[in-house]
Amino acid sequence: MIVFAVNAGSSSLKFQLLDMPKETVLASGVVERIGFDDAIFSIKYNDQRHKEIKKIKTHKVAVSLLLERLISLEILGNLDEIEGIGHRVVHGGELFSDSVIIDQNVIDGIESVSDLAPLHNPANLTGILAFQEALPNVPAVAVFDTAFHQTMEPTEYMYSLPYEWYEKYGVRKYGFHGTSHKYVSQRAAKMLGKTPEETKVIVCHIGNGASLCAVKEGKSIDTSMGFTPLAGIAMGTRSGDIDPAIVQYISKKEDKSLDQVMEELNKRSGYLGLSELSSDSRDLWQAVERGDKKSILAVEKQAKMIADYIGAYYLLLEGCDAICFTAGIGENASETRKLVVDRLKALGVQLDIKKNLVRGKETVISTDESNIDVLLIPTNEEVMIARDTVRLTK
Ligand code: ADP
């Protein structure tokens, strides 16, 4: 069964075409700069690459071009071979605790929670509608970033704020990166030779955006992102947890609107804010080598915040079988993994310094003596989207 895994952004469309259940990637690529005269369509297939730069006005045009190229590049003989389309949707609010087949009710539901993710949900919907128009007879599935975290208890998801804000406006912790946390926790159980129901793991998804998740018996019981993806640990440009009174204080001091200060918290904080250099982990680690003090502070602050969450989740889980690192930084930056684990001595966690010098490979990086296994697990959100598409449409 051939299925698409699609991630539509406001000006981009990422895709993978997978042969299921083998989980073989037949093609993958992205259309970038949709809406511009010099949009870029790039696709990888069979060890080959194809790229074209042309005017692509809308997501609909991008999808038509993609489908045309699948045939002209002989990736598929016929579009009828596509039997399912899985769409990543960022926010499912409290409406969606699992993936669902997309119908008009689901589209209305995604729209109804768009207030909670005004940048993402409308973009995801544009992708859904573009595929619906191009392939009206192919069933489509929505896979939500928030769904995996719907198993949290009120003590974890409620803020200590006026209760009516939750009732009237849905103010609560939702959590994000759920598809990644689910994938990685399932792989961790496999690596431990157990079922997810028999395991307690902490997943550290550390990319530009970053969050941790405490997974008990296969279910998310807490996660570090909150009402929005701004909360939790420091990220590339996002602050993570701060005292909210800072927002008002800076707004007065710098004569900025609330929106402007929030923009600073989202786009000018985290790695970039503290280092005053870059939001990219590679740049920071180069600067750390040169002894740049602010870059050292930026990476250490993030590691401290990660370790603090690990400590809290260890207590919440009442023990832990594995701590897993994933995403751009988690999979590649051995230095960050070391900084974090160095702070976990009280839990008896020991990193194997040699084994830790690895990138993007599923492997154990702790010593045999470590109280908790430390695992490196490359995430694969696309395969989860494809699996759910098969599960729901078969
Ligand atoms: P997102 O999907 O949230 O945009 P990614 O998961 O792609 O982010 O992670 C991007 C981060 O991963 C960047 O900070 C980048 O520097 C970091 N990264 C990627 N490769 C490496 C590497 N080889 N060494 C250190 N950091 C890396």
Side-chain angles (χ1 to χ4, degrees):
M1 174 174 179
I2 293 177
V3 303
F4 259 120
V6 178
N7 183 356
S10 55
S11 65
S12 70
L13 187 103
K14 284 193 203 132
F15 59 87
Q16 267 192 17
L17 192 68
L18 297 105
D19 189 2
M20 301 296 285
K22 283 187 282 181
E23 303 189 347
T24 323
V25 179
L26 302 175
S28 66
V30 61
V31 188
E32 293 164 280
R33 296 178 59 75
I34 296 173
F36 291 85
D37 289 347
D38 56 347
I40 309 159
F41 170 72
S42 40
I43 186 166
K44 259 195 326 194
Y45 60 104
N46 279 339
D47 292 330
Q48 300 191 59
R49 280 167 194 276
H50 168 85
K51 184 170 168 179
E52 49 191 291
I53 298 178
K54 62 193 296 182
K55 181 173 178 173
I56 301 177
K57 269 191 88 174
T58 62
H59 283 72
K60 204 176 127 189
V61 177
V63 171
S64 303
L65 176 68
L66 163 59
L67 296 177
E68 266 171 48
R69 288 295 168 267
L70 290 182
I71 303 297
S72 64
L73 297 169
E74 295 177 0
I75 298 164
L76 293 181
N78 192 318
L79 291 180
D80 292 344
E81 291 172 48
I82 303 168
E83 289 187 76
I85 305 161
H87 292 273
R88 176 189 184 209
V89 179
V90 166
H91 220 305
E94 287 186 327
L95 289 179
F96 302 104
S97 54
D98 192 4
S99 305
V100 283
I101 297 213
I102 298 174
D103 59 16
Q104 193 53 46
N105 272 342
V106 169
I107 291 178
D108 294 345
I110 295 170
E111 251 165 16
S112 75
V113 295
S114 279
D115 258 6
L116 298 172
L119 295 179
H120 293 103
N121 273 27
N124 301 150
L125 269 176
T126 314
I128 290 173
L129 297 175
F131 270 94
Q132 214 174 41
E133 214 167 311
L135 300 170
N137 299 320
V138 181
V141 166
V143 180
F144 300 90
D145 269 23
T146 49
F148 184 55
H149 303 301
Q150 281 294 304
T151 44
M152 286 186 291
E153 296 289 339
T155 37
E156 272 67 45
Y157 71 69
M158 286 300 290
Y159 292 111
S160 57
L161 292 169
Y163 198 88
E164 62 175 32
W165 293 359
Y166 167 63
E167 292 174 312
K168 280 192 189 157
Y169 311 119
V171 174
R172 52 159 284 176
K173 179 188 279 193
Y174 291 98
F176 300 88
H177 292 141
T179 311
S180 174
H181 289 304
K182 188 173 177 184
Y183 174 83
V184 172
S185 56
Q186 289 181 354
R187 289 303 310 168
K190 272 241 161 68
M191 287 173 79
L192 297 168
K194 296 182 179 181
T195 63
E197 291 70 31
E198 294 166 333
T199 53
K200 297 174 188 180
V201 300
I202 298 171
V203 180
C204 311
H205 176 115
I206 321 289
N208 259 323
S211 70
L212 275 80
C213 184
V215 187
K216 188 176 190 177
E217 296 162 6
K219 296 194 170 87
S220 166
I221 61 166
D222 202 359
T223 190
S224 60
M225 281 180 171
F227 177 61
T228 72
L230 179 58
I233 63 164
M235 312 179 207
T237 61
R238 288 174 233 163
S239 65
D241 301 335
I242 60 156
D243 181 341
I246 295 168
V247 175
Q248 184 197 37
Y249 182 77
I250 291 299
S251 149
K252 283 188 179 157
K253 285 280 177 202
E254 297 224 327
D255 195 20
K256 284 184 171 152
S257 68
L258 274 187
D259 283 0
Q260 284 171 322
V261 182
M262 291 310 295
E263 175 102 354
E264 308 255 312
L265 261 47
N266 270 300
K267 303 248 171 87
R268 264 182 21 98
S269 300
Y271 275 172
L272 177 64
L274 276 183
S275 70
E276 296 187 320
L277 182 79
S278 170
S279 63
D280 190 292
S281 146
R282 285 163 289 204
D283 296 340
L284 289 202
W285 282 105
Q286 276 180 9
V288 168
E289 293 231 321
R290 299 194 301 268
D292 183 74
K293 288 210 170 66
K294 288 177 182 164
S295 298
I296 294 171
L297 177 64
V299 293
E300 287 194 339
K301 179 70 193 178
Q302 187 193 44
K304 179 206 151 44
M305 292 171 95
I306 297 171
D308 286 354
Y309 268 102
I310 291 175
Y313 289 168
Y314 181 84
L315 293 184
L316 183 69
L317 289 164
E318 299 179 320
C320 174
D321 302 308
I323 296 166
C324 316
F325 285 96
T326 195
I329 296 170
E331 291 168 27
N332 291 293
S334 55
E335 305 92 334
T336 290
R337 295 193 297 258
K338 181 169 184 315
L339 275 190
V340 172
V341 177
D342 278 350
R343 290 176 172 270
L344 304 177
K345 292 197 187 82
L347 300 181
V349 189
Q350 288 178 19
L351 204 59
D352 183 312
I353 298 303
K354 270 202 186 135
K355 286 186 191 160
N356 184 41
L357 294 177
V358 66
R359 283 181 201 285
K361 198 179 121 197
E362 209 172 82
T363 182
V364 181
I365 55 173
S366 46
T367 64
D368 293 344
E369 291 74 39
S370 181
N371 272 349
I372 303 172
D373 285 334
V374 184
L375 309 177
L376 197 168
I377 302 178
T379 195
N380 193 339
E381 290 159 282
E382 292 77 12
V383 94
M384 291 302 270
I385 293 174
R387 281 180 197 167
D388 276 4
T389 306
V390 173
R391 171 168 65 89
L392 292 168
T393 57
K394 266 283 191 187

